[in-house]
């Protein structure tokens, strides 16, 4: 297995800069996820690692060896594509064995590797079938099996679950995590789905407009986003953002907007007092806006419920606080009703504040 290192990686398509000064070190055996909206550069980055895109500038190292000018077949990587890329005229066995056959592996070793991979993926009974006779999930397993038999240093996955239905995606997420633990290999996984990223990655890279926004463990990104974009992209339902002002009073530092006024906890206030601007962006996640008794002003927000969305073991409330629309999470046994008034109590531990100009996190 291998470490992967990317140094000042750039990719231009004419005047368009798809990837800009991208630095990333992926240790051996790590499951690294690149996530971001369409067009952010994540797939282009993956294809440069694979050797399928030329590098405009920068370097890529696999196992401490520079691979910029090596063709894909010499990089000791295996890639699983979004569309599976199976040969329709070949059986499952032949599809999985094809790469090894091209490399002139002995038939006995090919047979052993294919059967071992089929056992790991529970597709042993499908080896004689052709792709048209398989379900989407089975085709995905075959595509993964074709990569496994290569025993590469690095596995690359490009949106491998996006063509599956919701239930099967959940199942395959679990299977791929189990596979990673069993193979103990380095994986770089690209997705636009932040739920996939949060549930699968040891670490996550969030990208936007070809730039790396933040790298960290899933919960680090959730609780300590580096900027407004990361805070808004990670988490479902999305975080609430409200523009307002800092207000310093004898009782402490407050955040004030037209709809409400909140006191900021002393340890956070001490760090925020040096912020030179009065105007700021406040962020609070729905999970950190529970119902509460209406109590001391500055600790709760008075709202009117507009829409209720029951979802399994929780209820999401679309509420209005003055002219501010917010989403809150409530207990399934909530007494809240549409058009009723209630109070929400923001968790002071998880209040976020962002610079109004460059949107960086202030805490």
């Amino acid at each position: 297995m291998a470490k992967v290192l990317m140094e000042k990686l750039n990719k231009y398509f004419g005047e368009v800069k798809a990837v800009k000064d991208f630095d990333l070190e992926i240790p051996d055996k790590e499951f690294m996820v690149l996530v971001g909206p369409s067009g952010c550069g994540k797939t282009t980055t993956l294809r440069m690692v694979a050797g399928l895109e030329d590098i405009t500038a920068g370097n890529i190292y696999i196992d401490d060896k520079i691979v910029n000018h090596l063709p894909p077949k010499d990089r000791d990587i295996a890639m699983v594509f979004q569309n599976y890329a199976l040969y329709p005229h070949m059986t499952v066995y032949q599809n999985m064995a094809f790469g090894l056959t091209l490399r002139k592996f002995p038939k006995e070793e090919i047979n052993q590797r294919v059967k071992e991979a089929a056992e790991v993926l529970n597709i042993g009974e499908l080896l004689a079938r052709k792709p048209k006779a398989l379900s989407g999930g089975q085709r995905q397993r075959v595509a993964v099996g074709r990569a496994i038999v290569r025993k590469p240093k690095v596995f690359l996955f490009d949106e491998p679950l996006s063509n599956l239905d919701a239930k099967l995606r959940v199942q395959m997420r679990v299977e791929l995590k189990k596979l990673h633990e069993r193979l103990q290999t380095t994986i770089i996984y690209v997705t636009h789905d932040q739920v996939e990223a949060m549930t699968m990655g040891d670490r996550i890279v969030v990208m936007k407009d070809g730039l790396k926004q933040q790298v960290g463990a899933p919960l680090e990104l959730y609780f300590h986003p580096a900027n407004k974009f990361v805070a808004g992209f990670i988490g479902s339902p999305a975080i609430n953002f409200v523009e307002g002002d800092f207000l310093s009073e004898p009782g402490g530092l407050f955040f004030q907007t037209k709809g409400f006024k909140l006191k900021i906890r002393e340890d956070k206030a001490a760090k925020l007092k040096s912020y030179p601007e009065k105007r700021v962006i406040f962020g609070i996640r729905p999970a950190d806006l529970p119902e509460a008794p209406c109590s001391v002003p500055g600790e709760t927000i008075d709202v009117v419920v507009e829409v209720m969305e029951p979802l399994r073991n929780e209820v999401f409330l679309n509420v209005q606080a003055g002219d501010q629309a917010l989403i809150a999470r409530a207990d399934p046994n909530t007494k809240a009703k549409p058009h009723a008034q209630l109070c929400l109590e923001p968790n002071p531990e998880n209040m976020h504040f962002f610079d109004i100009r460059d949107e960086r996190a202030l805490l």
Side-chain angles (χ1 to χ4, degrees):
M1 304 312 161
K3 177 178 78 172
V4 178
L5 177 64
M6 302 172 222
E7 290 182 339
K8 299 297 179 192
L9 209 55
N10 284 269
K11 177 63 181 180
Y12 302 165
F13 294 100
E15 297 297 314
V16 178
K17 297 181 179 180
V19 179
K20 309 167 194 174
D21 292 331
F22 189 86
D23 290 311
L24 183 64
E25 182 173 333
I26 305 171
D28 182 27
K29 301 177 184 177
E30 184 170 60
F31 196 127
M32 174 65 77
V33 178
L34 309 185
V35 68
S38 296
C40 72
K42 57 189 184 295
T43 292
T44 301
T45 302
L46 191 76
R47 288 175 64 85
M48 283 192 285
V49 175
L52 301 176
E53 291 285 358
D54 292 331
I55 299 168
T56 305
N59 294 311
I60 297 175
Y61 298 84
I62 297 177
D63 207 12
D64 297 322
K65 178 182 178 182
I66 194 165
V67 298
N68 289 29
H69 304 295
L70 287 181
K73 66 183 180 64
D74 295 331
R75 296 193 181 197
D76 204 1
I77 55 95
M79 190 162 180
V80 179
F81 296 91
Q82 178 179 349
N83 63 358
Y84 317 141
L86 300 178
Y87 296 107
H89 63 287
M90 293 184 181
T91 64
V92 167
Y93 182 98
Q94 291 167 334
N95 266 282
M96 292 174 65
F98 186 67
L100 302 180
T101 303
L102 283 182
R103 289 167 177 79
K104 302 189 186 310
F105 275 69
K107 287 186 178 181
E108 296 77 12
E109 185 173 355
I110 292 174
N111 191 53
Q112 180 183 350
R113 288 195 184 195
V114 170
K115 288 189 175 178
E116 284 177 355
E119 182 182 346
V120 168
L121 295 165
N122 293 317
I123 54 173
E125 73 282 2
L126 306 178
L127 292 176
R129 296 189 192 179
K130 290 186 177 178
K132 67 180 180 181
L134 305 178
S135 68
Q138 289 169 336
R139 290 178 193 174
Q140 184 59 73
R141 288 171 188 267
V142 175
V144 173
R146 184 176 54 191
I148 289 175
V149 298
R150 295 266 311 280
K151 297 186 178 179
K153 289 181 178 178
V154 183
F155 285 91
L156 308 178
F157 289 86
D158 184 15
E159 306 245 18
L161 308 185
S162 58
N163 290 338
L164 305 179
D165 62 54
K167 183 177 180 181
L168 196 51
R169 278 203 305 272
V170 173
Q171 180 184 336
M172 284 302 298
R173 286 205 307 258
V174 174
E175 292 300 323
L176 287 176
K177 280 298 288 182
K178 286 181 179 178
L179 185 64
H180 177 244
E181 291 174 7
R182 182 166 179 173
L183 298 179
Q184 289 292 293
T185 187
T186 306
I187 290 179
I188 308 176
Y189 186 103
V190 161
T191 180
H192 66 276
D193 186 336
Q194 57 99 8
V195 175
E196 262 182 47
M198 293 289 284
T199 54
M200 297 180 73
D202 296 327
R203 285 193 302 155
I204 299 170
V205 183
V206 181
M207 296 183 67
K208 177 192 178 190
D209 298 333
L211 292 168
K212 179 179 69 179
Q213 301 294 309
Q214 188 174 358
V215 184
L219 293 183
E220 180 185 348
L221 300 185
Y222 183 84
F223 288 110
H224 305 289
N227 55 41
K228 183 187 173 192
F229 176 79
V230 174
F233 192 82
I234 298 294
S236 181
I239 191 171
N240 298 289
F241 290 121
V242 178
E243 286 192 23
D245 300 297
F246 283 144
L247 187 64
S248 186
E249 296 184 345
L253 185 66
F254 292 80
F255 170 77
Q256 181 172 276
T257 187
K258 288 183 180 179
F260 55 88
K261 177 181 175 182
L262 291 172
K263 185 176 181 180
I264 300 170
R265 207 172 69 179
E266 288 185 9
D267 59 331
K268 293 182 181 289
K271 297 176 182 177
L272 293 168
K273 282 181 179 177
S274 61
Y275 180 60
E277 300 293 325
K278 181 181 178 184
R279 196 74 175 168
V280 71
I281 301 169
F282 168 68
I284 190 78
R285 296 194 182 279
D288 293 314
L289 272 180
E291 292 179 76
C294 296
S295 56
V296 182
E299 293 183 359
T300 57
I301 303 174
D302 297 331
V303 301
V304 175
V305 178
E306 294 199 325
V307 176
M308 299 179 65
E309 297 179 286
L311 187 65
R312 298 185 298 276
N313 62 338
E314 56 193 358
V315 177
F316 291 106
L317 307 176
N318 292 262
V319 303
Q320 201 73 23
D323 63 351
Q324 303 290 344
L326 301 170
I327 298 177
R329 187 171 72 179
D331 185 272
N333 298 318
T334 179
K335 300 291 196 297
K337 302 290 181 185
H339 312 300
Q341 293 185 333
L342 57 86
C343 284
L344 305 175
E345 185 175 12
N347 180 353
E349 173 69 24
N350 294 327
M351 291 183 182
H352 301 275
F353 295 95
F354 304 94
D355 190 301
I356 196 73
R357 299 159 300 180
D358 61 15
E359 299 186 346
R360 64 183 171 85
L362 299 179
L363 292 171

